[in-house]
Amino acid sequence: MRNNKTQKMVFMALLSAIAIVLHSIEAMLHLPLPLGMKLGLANIISLVVIEFYGVKEMFVVNIFRVVVSGLLTGLFGQMPFFISCGGVFLSSIALAIVKKLTSLPMISTSIMAAVFHNIGQVAVVSIFYAQPAIMSYVFILMASSIPTGILTGMCAIQILKRVDKKQFQ
């Protein structure tokens, strides 16, 4: 007889570990992107978790990813950590709202999460430096939200196609 709580905890831990690894790999990549733009590879796992388990579990995985990544990089409690927290917090809220209130396709949902991730990050920088004018940079980052949202959404779709959802229930 299987213990479903234990199995769920193991899968959540594995998904969290994958998100942390993707976050770390992306941090090591030196892509020729403008300041502040990232691919958001770890957000693929957020999309997968919300499909498999739901909103609460997605929040748990996202918070765990940000905290552990901050600890592993030595940036916990420093500005990059808080910028990451702002982006993850706002994108998680947006993802939860979009998922609960709409039936948007995965790619549209992913783009929305990317947009709000950028807004959250720029808002933290704006508040930290007490410079509201920094918020205008969000429009530049919005341009990156569409292709990165499409990329992460397509990756999540491919994962969901290849993994048997029953295993995660």
Side-chain angles (χ1 to χ4, degrees), residues 25-160:
I25 288 170
E26 188 171 4
M28 288 187 287
L29 294 176
H30 296 289
L31 300 174
L33 298 172
L35 179 65
M37 291 185 188
K38 299 276 187 185
L39 296 175
L41 298 177
N43 296 328
I44 296 167
I45 303 305
S46 300
L47 295 167
V48 170
V49 170
I50 202 167
E51 283 295 316
F52 282 161
Y53 295 115
V55 171
K56 183 179 84 173
E57 289 81 0
M58 182 258 315
F59 272 103
V60 169
V61 168
N62 283 344
I63 291 167
F64 191 69
R65 169 181 52 112
V66 170
V67 169
V68 172
S69 294
L71 290 169
L72 289 173
T73 59
L75 297 174
F76 185 80
Q78 296 180 21
M79 188 62 182
F81 171 76
F82 292 116
I83 292 171
S84 184
C85 285
V88 165
F89 178 72
L90 200 56
S91 70
S92 295
I93 288 174
L95 189 57
I97 291 170
V98 167
K99 201 70 180 153
K100 291 279 186 187
L101 300 179
T102 71
S103 58
L104 286 174
M106 178 71 71
I107 291 179
S108 299
T109 304
S110 178
I111 292 170
M112 291 294 294
V115 165
F116 281 94
H117 190 90
N118 287 331
I119 292 170
Q121 288 185 320
V122 175
V124 168
V125 172
S126 176
I127 292 166
F128 184 79
Y129 290 111
Q131 294 292 326
I134 292 174
M135 284 304 292
S136 63
Y137 190 62
V138 86
F139 296 109
I140 295 168
L141 290 176
M142 292 276 186
S144 73
S145 298
I146 296 169
T148 59
I150 291 170
L151 173 72
T152 56
M154 287 173 40
C155 290
I157 288 169
Q158 291 305 312
I159 291 169
L160 293 170

